[in-house]
Every structure is written in structure tokens, then in C-alpha cells.
Amino acid sequence: MQKKRYSSSMGCFHIIKRVICIDGSSPDTGKGKIKFKSSSSSNEVSHGFHLVEGQSGHDMEDYHVAEYREKKGHVLGLFAIFDGHLGDRVPSYLKANLYNNILEEPSFWADPKSAIKNAYNSTDKVILENSMQLGPGGSTAVTAIVIDGKDLLVANVGDSRAVLCQSGTARQLTVDHEPHNERRRIEKRGGFVTNLPGDVPRVNGQLAVARAFGDENLKAHLSSEPDVCNVRIDSSIEFVILASDGLWKVMDNQEAVNMVRSIRNPQAAAKRLTTEALTRKSKDDISCIVIRFG
């Protein structure tokens, strides 16, 4: 039984991207990089991604963002994984709209954490208002913004995860929003958490995450409030892994870091992680982005 699904109850740019329509079991894969130069030093951000469809009996529901934008004299690396459930309309909408909403928040440069929280919540409101078109499903999200190769902003709802490698040690930047950890809030909002033998805890016996975009029928008991953290990128920060729970169900944080630390090509690293997850019999969609610094 799949965990998130409902129960049957400024410098020079060098960007290389391969964009493929996710179709059947064909993987979506690509890479890119950007170099920042100054009179005293240079820094490079490179990324690679690899997504594969799972074997859980539904079409691919994972979407990703991996791109660079110039804004107000800054260069932003924008990376995200959206892991949908009950269809792909909500994650598809997030891919097209969430980053625009974040960057259009008036407070983004002065107070980026508040701007990200506001954008997550306002985006969720629009999704719910358009549930007739977007359907009853929802999506987790993990987003990462790299500003000028110097600062990293990470946010998430649900159990898609960001893991940092700092001097070889794994450091989880996100919070897995599992129902048993938020039981008090869910019950305060009129919901309940089931924990049946052989299953994971679920909100109202249905959804195995406590926070998500969409999910109109459960929204009274769910939250779209993200956890947000900021990391200053220094020489100890080697890379970040963003991945859906199709990876994290079968691999712990330090295992993932150890597996790809020596792989300099981030696309090859992302593919290595997804391939290993398949070898370990992960049945869910598996999406992975590796962002390497320096």
C-alpha cells in the first residue's frame, strides 16, 4: 500500500536541459549548471534530475522544477519536486505556478521565509477554489531556492524530503509531516488519525500525510503551512538531495549521501539514487534532484 495515496477506503550561464513528457515508464532526466564569478572567487551550482514511474498501478504523478532565473540583479536556482496523489492535476499546477507566486510576493527579498509561507498558502487557496477543474487530489512539495550561489532556502509540505551533505554528514532540512506527529492539530480541527495494523497512520483513515496542497475533501483537517529553513552555503556544503518518498521509503539519509558523494556529475548521482531505489523494490514513483555546490 502506497504511503501517500488514499486507502481503498551573477556570471555566465551554461544550462543544459532535456525536457521530456513523462510517458509510461520512460524516465525524465536532465542536468544544468551556472557559474558565479567575482574578483575574489568563483562558485558553481550544478544540478541533475531523474524521475521514473512506479509500479503502483497509476499514471506518473510526480513533477519537478529545475531551472535558473534572473530577478532584480540576482540569479536564482529554482528546484522542486511535487508528488501528487489521486491524479496529476495538482502537481502539474504547482509546477506551472508555485514559483511565480513565491517570487511575486512583495516581501520576498526582505523576508523570504514569510514570502514562501504566504505563497504556499495562497496557492493552495487557488487550488481549492478551482477543485472542479483540478480534481479532488493533492500533492506534497519540497522546494529549494539557491540565491546567487550563496544562500539556500528550502520549504516543504508532506513527506518529500531535502537532505544536505555537509562535510560528508547527512542533515535533513525538511520535516516529514506524518499524521501521528500532528494528531493534536488534526483532532482540534475535527479530524482523526487511524493507525490500523499493517498500515501507516492516516488522516481520517485516508491520507498518510498531515500537510499537502489540495485534497479538498480533507482540507478541514489538513494544513498547507510549510516548514522553511535557510542555509548559508559555505565550503562545507557539498550537495543537496531533493526526492519524493519513493526514495526515502527504502533508503535513509546517510545512505543516500554516502552513495553519491563521490559522483561529481549530479545527473549521474540522481540516476544512481533512483536506480538503487528500484533495486530495493520501491513501488512508488521515484523523483530525485541533486544540487551540487562548488
Side-chain angles (χ1 to χ4, degrees):
M1 186 171 295
Q2 297 307 311
K3 190 173 182 182
K4 282 193 307 302
R5 289 180 55 76
Y6 285 79
S7 67
S8 56
S9 138
M10 227 32 247
C12 61
F13 289 86
H14 178 52
I15 302 173
I16 307 168
K17 297 206 304 182
R18 179 177 170 219
V19 181
I20 307 171
C21 178
I22 298 175
D23 182 10
S25 60
S26 300
D28 190 357
T29 190
K31 62 182 178 179
K33 65 181 178 180
I34 185 168
K35 187 173 289 186
F36 306 88
K37 293 182 178 179
S38 70
S39 59
S40 59
S41 65
S42 65
N43 191 23
E44 184 175 276
V45 177
S46 58
H47 75 271
F49 60 89
H50 197 79
L51 294 80
V52 293
E53 185 176 326
Q55 302 174 18
S56 50
H58 58 77
D59 291 338
M60 183 65 160
E61 295 174 334
D62 284 11
Y63 283 75
H64 80 287
V65 173
E67 64 180 70
Y68 301 97
R69 296 188 196 178
E70 286 187 272
K71 195 171 181 70
K72 295 187 180 295
H74 298 274
V75 181
L76 305 177
L78 307 177
F79 308 98
I81 287 174
F82 306 115
D83 184 356
H85 43 266
L86 288 184
D88 69 350
R89 295 183 188 178
V90 172
S92 176
Y93 181 87
L94 292 169
K95 175 182 173 76
N97 293 280
L98 181 58
Y99 268 123
N100 291 335
N101 294 343
I102 290 173
L103 299 180
E104 289 170 5
E105 278 287 324
S107 64
F108 177 76
W109 296 104
D111 188 358
K113 286 188 178 182
S114 293
I116 290 169
K117 289 183 178 182
N118 291 341
Y120 266 60
N121 288 321
S122 64
T123 302
D124 190 47
K125 182 178 179 181
V126 173
I127 290 170
L128 296 173
E129 290 171 347
N130 291 275
S131 59
M132 290 292 290
Q133 292 77 31
L134 295 176
S139 181
T140 72
V142 56
T143 59
I145 303 174
V146 180
I147 303 176
D148 295 330
K150 298 176 181 178
D151 287 286
L152 172 67
L153 289 158
V154 171
N156 83 297
V157 293
D159 55 5
S160 292
R161 189 183 298 174
V163 174
L164 179 75
C165 175
Q166 184 169 19
S167 300
T169 300
R171 173 183 164 195
Q172 186 169 323
L173 301 180
T174 51
V175 177
D176 293 342
H177 295 129
E178 298 177 344
H180 64 90
N181 292 329
E182 301 197 28
R183 180 187 298 269
R184 181 174 298 179
R185 178 186 60 77
I186 292 165
E187 291 177 347
K188 189 174 181 179
R189 296 172 70 158
F192 60 91
V193 175
T194 58
N195 194 359
L196 300 176
D199 195 9
V200 295
R202 295 181 182 272
V203 178
N204 288 15
Q206 299 176 63
L207 186 65
V209 289
R211 304 190 194 191
F213 286 96
D215 294 300
E216 181 190 25
N217 294 335
L218 289 176
K219 204 66 202 193
H221 316 307
L222 299 178
S223 171
S224 60
E225 181 84 4
D227 278 285
V228 186
C229 74
N230 176 260
V231 177
R232 183 72 176 175
I233 300 169
D234 59 29
S235 59
S236 71
I237 307 297
E238 300 178 42
F239 59 89
V240 175
I241 301 168
L242 307 183
S244 60
D245 71 326
L247 177 70
W248 305 118
K249 285 176 183 175
V250 296
M251 194 178 308
D252 68 32
N253 297 343
Q254 192 64 51
E255 275 187 292
V257 163
N258 293 345
M259 187 170 297
V260 298
R261 189 183 181 201
S262 64
I263 302 176
R264 295 298 302 174
N265 182 330
Q267 182 182 16
K271 186 174 182 179
R272 176 73 180 87
L273 289 168
T274 56
T275 300
E276 179 64 22
L278 290 171
T279 300
R280 297 187 184 195
K281 310 299 184 184
S282 178
K283 302 297 184 184
D284 206 350
D285 299 332
I286 308 165
S287 303
C288 181
I289 302 172
V290 175
I291 309 161
R292 185 169 278 280
F293 304 103

